[in-house]
Each structure stands twice: as C-alpha cells, then as structure tokens.
Amino acid sequence: MNFRTTGQFPPLILDDIRGAQKMLSGVARMTAMEGSRHLTDLVGAPVHLKCENLQRTGSFKLRGAYVRIAGLSPVERAAGVVAASAGNHAQGVALASALLGVRSTVFMPVGAPLPKVAATRQYGAEVRLHGHVVDETLAAAQEYAQETGAVFIHPFDHPDIIAGQGTVGLEILEQCPEVRTIVVGIGGGGLAAGIAVAVKAVRPDVRIVGVQAAGAACYPPSLAAGHPVSIDSPVTMADGIKVGRPGDVPFELVRELVDEVRTVSEDELSSALLLCLERAKLVVEPAGASPVAALLSDPESFRGPVVALLSGGNVDPLLMQRVLTHGMVAAGRYLSLRLRLADRPGALATLLGVLSVVDANVLDIGHVRTDPRLGLTEVEVELQLETKGPAHCAEVSAALRDAGYLVMG
C-alpha cells in the first residue's frame, strides 16, 4: 500500500518503516506497554500505555533523528548536521549524531529548560542558545546550515523522520495486536503520520486519534482549509507539541490516515500528568500526557482496547512542580478560601475545629486586618487547604457556611 507525500519526496510506504525498524535495532529500545486499571475502568475497555517516555533520551525523537542522519551521504556526514529544538529533538539529534560519528550543532531557545540544555551537551552536541521562541531558533539553525553547509535535520517535516517515528506503530501492533484505537499527541505531525502509515497498512480498521493542546492547535484549522495554515502565538505548557504550523509532509499523511484530531485544555493536561505520576508511577511531560488527557476528557468515546502513547518524559523539575500544583487544583485536591471572622481570641481555633471535623488539612493560613472593607472588629483569613476531590471541596465549603462563616472563595 502506498501513501502520498508532497513535492520532492517519494511516497512513504510500510517497507520504509520496516527498514527503519531494522536500522534502529540496537539503537532504540522497544519500550514497555503498561496496562492502566484506572483508565480501563473509565473507558470501559482495556487501556494500555506505550511508554516512549522510557526511550533513550526520554522520548521517541531518537528514532527519526537516527534514521535521518544514518541516511546521509558520506559528504553530507562530513559537513555535520544542525537542528533547532526546545529539548526532545535536540537530544535525539545529539545522541544519534554521536552514535554515527557525525558532528552536531543544536540551536535552542534562550529560555530552554536547563536540564534539557545540559543533556543535549552531554550527548555530544554543540549547543547555541538563540531566540526566545522556537521559530526564531529554527530560523537561526537554517541560516547556519546555509552558511556552513551542515545538513538541517527538521524535527518532523521529512520522510526519513516520519519513517523512524513510525516504528512506534509497528511495536504497538506487536505488543497489542488486538488494539482498536491508538491515541497520540500531535505537534508538527511526524509521529502521528508515521504511526498512521505503519498501522493503517496492516490494520486499516484501527482508529487513530490525534491530540493537540487547545492553545496550540494548528491541525484543526489546517484540516478544515485542506492545507497547512499557521496560528499566531501558540500558548501551552506542552512544549513538545507547541507548534504553530503542521509540516507539509506529515500533514498530507495525517489528513489521509488519521481519523480524528481532538484538543485538550491546560487543566486536562495537568490532571493527566498527575494521573500518570500517581496511578502509573510514570514521569511524563505535558505533551506526552496529552493522549491521557483526551481519555480523561471523554472516556466513553473511545473504542477499546486503546493504546495511549506517552511520547516523552523530559520535563523540567520547576515546570513539574507548577504543573503538579495546577493538576492538584484541577483535580480538587487543593482548595483556596477567603472568609471573615471576629478578631478576638479563640476565633481562629474555632475555625480550625470546623476544618478538623471535615478532615481538611491546612497547608497555609494568612490574616488580613488592613482592608478598608473590613469592620473594626473583623479579620479576613486566607486558607490554603489540602482536600480529597471536588466532592470534599464542596463538603468543606458547606461546613464553613453552616458554621456561620461568609465564604468568599
């Protein structure tokens, strides 16, 4: 079965992906497939997690980068390679280049997470920090390629990259032959396109669902227009899928072979990341958790068995801290309240007694006495509470109101 690609590239076929799989033998790991009891209960059918967050370099990107660089001619290898990335593609190119003995230069945004910058250097690449958004970094890398003759390794817009990423699809079919739905995050589209080519050639009945962050969803308008279109200033915590325009090559394959593209909110991404950590004991970056976010947002719409692809686990510790806090709030595990009480001895102890009865744990407490809206004998108390979910939040608020407190939320 042949699938078209655009312009100067030949059609991408299943044999290309099988060839990439042979090339990657001993380089990329066949990552684990883990069952999720919690998601299985929600969906009402078996749900498996394909753990590319446990891949070498922490994401699937090594697959495509290695296949692309391995396919260069001796003259091209001698010129070296250059790439632009905020993290995952950078590390994939750096390690692939080191394994193949090719000099690599990687441009990264000035604000790229320090652990990703350090890891890219440790894999052997020369790192140059340029620009504050990926588009600026990308332009700098392409300019460097023109000036030096280095081969630019695009993160998703090349058939070799897509063939390498498509090996994930072959592994899914081997590890879960009964699969009926595959859910995969989409940025530029290389991973989804590769999986779609591999899977649809063997199992055309398998439904493939792509997932984008709502604030960086370039595929829905592009699919509606019938060609890639750019969106202005994509905004999402999921930097791995924060792409403003689909790639020309993957777009054609996604349009032809991916059954549906959905979007998820930042709250849903946070909740998904928290679920992966708490229930599956897996560290996953927000982009990698996007398929889980889609399952959480509408679990009954997926036909099982389902495979959700955890595409990467390279998350900055500071971002992880913020995202986990955000996820705890979204999941009803934190509750922030403001209320007024009489400014007299014992008033705070009485309030804490009410909270103790409903089993709410006080994380932080603050007093405001200088607000002009307060009466002479009033104090405003700000509470940060640890709670057990939305129902418990409602119970805590109701208990405080029943005790006579004005809860301002």
Side-chain angles (χ1 to χ4, degrees), residues 142-176:
Q142 291 171 325
E143 182 179 351
Y144 176 89
Q146 292 172 356
E147 292 174 352
T148 66
V151 179
F152 178 66
I153 307 299
H154 199 284
F156 49 80
D157 205 11
H158 193 281
D160 288 349
I161 294 287
I162 296 171
Q165 321 305 29
T167 59
V168 178
L170 296 180
E171 291 182 12
I172 290 173
L173 291 178
E174 180 178 344
Q175 293 172 298
C176 185

Side-chain angles (χ1 to χ4, degrees), residues 270-283:
S270 297
S271 296
L273 189 148
L274 183 62
L275 183 143
C276 289
L277 188 63
E278 283 194 324
R279 297 299 185 97
K281 317 306 178 190
L282 292 167
V283 175

Side-chain angles (χ1 to χ4, degrees), residues 14-37:
L14 178 61
D15 284 346
D16 296 324
I17 299 175
R18 286 177 170 157
Q21 188 175 45
K22 291 180 181 178
M23 189 180 297
L24 288 167
S25 177
V27 176
R29 301 186 180 109
M30 177 183 279
T31 50
M33 183 88 74
E34 298 289 342
S36 172
R37 184 175 301 174

Side-chain angles (χ1 to χ4, degrees), residues 33-83:
M33 183 88 74
E34 298 289 342
S36 172
R37 184 175 301 174
H38 180 74
L39 291 173
T40 293
D41 290 342
L42 284 177
V43 172
V47 175
H48 307 280
L49 305 175
K50 174 63 171 168
C51 302
E52 279 295 287
N53 60 309
L54 303 179
Q55 184 57 262
R56 295 179 70 178
T57 75
S59 87
F60 70 96
K61 289 289 190 176
L62 172 64
R63 297 173 183 262
Y66 188 91
V67 173
R68 174 76 172 99
I69 298 170
L72 298 179
S73 70
V75 173
E76 289 172 322
R77 290 194 188 195
V81 299
V82 60

Side-chain angles (χ1 to χ4, degrees), residues 270 316-327:
S270 297
D316 179 63
L318 294 177
L319 175 62
M320 173 69 87
Q321 184 179 20
R322 294 196 299 270
V323 170
L324 288 178
T325 300
H326 188 81

Side-chain angles (χ1 to χ4, degrees), residues 315-370:
V315 56
D316 179 63
L318 294 177
L319 175 62
M320 173 69 87
Q321 184 179 20
R322 294 196 299 270
V323 170
L324 288 178
T325 300
H326 188 81
M328 295 280 277
V329 173
R333 302 280 294 280
Y334 287 151
L335 178 62
S336 297
L337 294 173
R338 291 184 299 114
L339 46 84
R340 294 179 184 177
L341 62 156
D343 189 10
R344 64 170 182 263
L348 181 58
T350 302
L351 169 63
L352 294 178
V354 174
L355 295 174
S356 176
V357 169
V358 292
D359 201 24
N361 186 37
V362 178
L363 299 176
D364 195 15
I365 189 167
H367 291 76
V368 176
R369 289 186 170 87
T370 57

